[in-house]
């Protein structure tokens, strides 16, 4: 609705997991590197965890686009019984003639995996929302890893879920499954500077000219209220742009964001102690993307919360071009190798947080 008003090609803060809008923090880059490496090296069992809304599904879709040498079966609804789970996995692999009996289904899957192995194709079963899997289905998943040759796994399995998945995998009756996990990766929320550059990234991908319309006070409160969760950032920003459009304002002020937070029933603490200084006498409210609004509304916002002293010069430049996704030599080395995880040392991606 507001795209034409702000001269955009599309909505900048959509809620769908769009790989073309993926913003690569060091945490996301390391997770993507680990996932693609596991698929390429046929590591067998991989687990990705992260809080709700941190971008796990977007990363999974990026992996699918980055691995043309693999065949994927993706289960998005894991709340299934044993019988339905195996049937859905076969159907999404493209097997239409699914047998009725479990033994026949297992044999059908084995024949399919052996055929792909002979063709040099890596079959991958991705289970999203895996924290909702029952222990019985998880045990069935473990048994699927028994498809192997003398030196290679025939089926790669990726479990992606929220942080509750960690506790689920620590159950004593699932210790055999936990022992088979070869790679673990975790997706973390955005830092405060990351939120600002994430918003800029999404704005540019939507065809918007920078600097964007958000005042620095608005960005600071969006960061605090969202707790760095990209999905929440998108929800707040999308609604705030709609409110600004209704007011016929070409900038998004703190008042717009506060109205959205009330409508969304989201509580937040004012981001004091994050480098804020009083600016009650300021004559303008500088945008974190180096724009000065100079409006009465922004002067009111500055008096209410202060102007955050955040400089994007201190934020590491992270390349987000699609051509780099899954191509490990292009990944920058952000911190000394001695302090990186093993995946970070291998592919030059890590997270200092």
């Amino acid at each position: 609705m507001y795209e034409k008003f702000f001269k955009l090609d599309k909505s900048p803060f959509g809620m769908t997991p769009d790989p073309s809008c993926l913003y690569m923090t060091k945490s996301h880059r390391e997770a993507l590197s680990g996932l693609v490496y596991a698929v390429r090296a046929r590591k067998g069992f991989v687990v990705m965890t992260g809080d709700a809304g941190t971008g796990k599904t977007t990363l999974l879709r990026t992996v699918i686009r980055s691995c043309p040498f693999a065949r994927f079966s993706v289960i998005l609804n894991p709340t299934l019984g044993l019988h339905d789970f195996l049937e859905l996995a076969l159907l999404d692999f493209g097997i239409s003639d699914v047998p009725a009996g479990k033994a026949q289904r297992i044999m059908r899957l084995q024949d399919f995996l052996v055929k792909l192995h002979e063709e040099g194709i890596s079959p991958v079963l991705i289970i999203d929302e895996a924290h909702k899997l029952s222990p019985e289905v998880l045990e069935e998943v473990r048994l699927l890893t028994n498809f192997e040759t003398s030196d290679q796994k025939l089926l790669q399995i990726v479990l992606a879920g929220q942080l509750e998945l960690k506790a689920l995998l620590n159950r004593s009756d699932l210790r055999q499954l936990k022992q088979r996990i070869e790679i673990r990766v975790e997706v973390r929320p955005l830092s405060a500077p990351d939120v600002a550059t994430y918003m800029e990234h999404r704005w540019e991908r939507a065809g918007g000219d920078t600097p964007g319309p958000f005042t620095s006070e608005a960005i600071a409160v969006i960061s605090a209220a969202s707790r760095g969760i990209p999905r929440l950032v998108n929800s707040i920003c999308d609604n705030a742009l709609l409110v600004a459009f209704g007011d016929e304002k070409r900038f998004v002020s703190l008042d717009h964001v506060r109205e959205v937070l009330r409508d969304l029933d989201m509580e937040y603490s004012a981001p004091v102690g994050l480098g804020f200084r009083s600016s009650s006498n300021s004559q303008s409210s500088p945008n974190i993307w180096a724009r000065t609004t100079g409006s009465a509304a922004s002067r009111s916002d500055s008096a209410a919360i202060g102007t955050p002293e955040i400089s994007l010069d201190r934020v590491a430049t992270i390349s987000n071009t699609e051509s780099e996704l899954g191509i490990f030599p292009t990944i920058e080395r952000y911190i000394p190798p001695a302090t990186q995880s093993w995946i970070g040392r291998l592919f030059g991606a890590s997270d200092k947080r």
Side-chain angles (χ1 to χ4, degrees):
M1 182 179 293
Y2 56 73
E3 288 82 4
K4 185 177 180 180
F5 180 78
F6 286 104
K7 300 179 180 179
L8 300 169
D9 298 330
K10 63 178 181 178
S11 175
F13 299 103
M15 300 292 282
T16 57
D18 184 359
S20 68
C21 293
L22 177 63
Y23 173 70
M24 297 282 281
T25 66
K26 292 183 283 294
S27 169
H28 288 75
R29 188 180 295 275
E30 179 168 333
L32 180 60
S33 299
L35 290 171
V36 176
Y37 165 72
V39 173
R40 287 187 173 182
R42 302 197 176 203
K43 283 299 183 181
F45 221 125
V46 190
V47 171
M48 175 174 62
T49 55
D51 202 356
T54 50
K56 298 183 298 297
T57 302
T58 307
L59 283 171
L60 292 175
R61 293 194 178 187
T62 305
V63 169
I64 294 174
R65 288 175 48 168
S66 303
C67 300
F69 52 86
R71 178 79 62 85
F72 291 90
S73 174
V74 183
I75 295 180
L76 300 175
N77 184 1
T79 57
L80 302 168
L82 295 176
H83 194 74
D84 293 332
F85 178 85
L86 186 55
E87 179 182 6
L88 182 57
L90 290 169
L91 288 172
D92 209 58
F93 267 131
I95 301 173
S96 57
D97 54 334
V98 178
K102 181 178 179 180
Q104 292 177 315
R105 291 182 178 185
I106 292 176
M107 289 301 299
R108 182 71 179 87
L109 177 59
Q110 178 175 294
D111 292 341
F112 174 76
L113 297 178
V114 170
K115 181 176 181 295
L116 290 185
H117 177 70
E118 292 173 347
E119 295 174 356
I121 299 174
S122 179
V124 184
L125 174 63
I126 293 178
I127 307 171
D128 203 0
E129 304 288 345
H131 58 282
K132 295 183 179 179
L133 287 171
S134 66
E136 293 76 20
V137 174
L138 275 171
E139 175 61 15
E140 188 76 14
V141 171
R142 180 187 73 83
L143 293 175
L144 293 180
T145 63
N146 288 333
F147 293 119
E148 58 188 1
T149 65
S150 58
D151 60 348
Q152 271 191 340
K153 293 289 185 181
L154 291 179
L155 178 64
Q156 323 308 311
I157 299 176
V158 178
L159 295 182
Q162 296 176 19
L163 300 177
E164 296 87 351
L165 181 58
K166 291 182 178 180
L168 181 60
L169 294 174
N170 281 329
R171 288 174 51 122
S172 60
D173 56 334
L174 294 175
R175 62 188 181 279
Q176 293 186 66
L177 173 65
K178 185 177 179 180
Q179 290 172 2
R180 299 195 181 198
I181 298 172
E182 295 205 44
I183 293 179
R184 281 179 178 260
V185 294
E186 183 171 350
V187 184
R188 299 182 179 88
L190 306 173
S191 66
D194 278 338
V195 170
T197 49
Y198 170 80
M199 292 168 60
E200 180 181 18
H201 170 73
R202 300 282 304 211
W203 187 260
E204 290 179 337
R205 285 300 175 100
D209 294 329
T210 55
F214 294 86
T215 65
S216 55
E217 294 92 345
I219 294 173
V221 172
I222 290 170
S223 177
S226 67
R227 306 184 310 280
I229 304 296
R231 182 184 295 159
L232 295 181
V233 174
N234 289 356
S235 178
I236 297 170
C237 290
D238 183 64
N239 283 277
L241 286 167
L242 188 61
V243 173
F245 167 68
D247 286 347
E248 297 185 351
K249 301 290 185 182
R250 296 202 178 271
F251 65 90
V252 178
S253 69
L254 178 59
D255 287 339
H256 293 143
V257 174
R258 284 173 169 165
E259 181 178 344
V260 167
L261 295 179
R262 287 194 298 270
D263 291 343
L264 295 177
D265 194 23
M266 293 179 62
E267 297 182 355
Y268 74 99
S269 299
V272 295
L274 294 177
F276 281 72
R277 57 179 171 80
S278 175
S279 59
S280 57
N281 297 322
S282 64
Q283 297 302 309
S284 64
S285 173
N287 185 287
I288 203 167
W289 300 335
R291 180 171 70 85
T292 302
T293 62
S295 66
S298 63
R299 287 195 295 272
S300 173
D301 293 344
S302 295
I305 197 170
T307 301
E309 296 178 327
I310 304 175
S311 172
L312 292 187
D313 294 337
R314 294 189 287 110
V315 181
T317 301
I318 301 175
S319 176
N320 288 280
T321 59
E322 292 182 42
S323 61
E324 290 187 2
L325 299 181
I327 303 176
F328 302 133
T330 65
I331 298 176
E332 299 90 346
R333 296 185 180 275
Y334 291 101
I335 58 177
T339 59
Q340 293 178 340
S341 69
W342 74 268
I343 292 179
R345 292 194 298 273
L346 186 60
F347 297 121
S350 190
D351 195 324
K352 292 183 281 188
R353 290 168 294 175

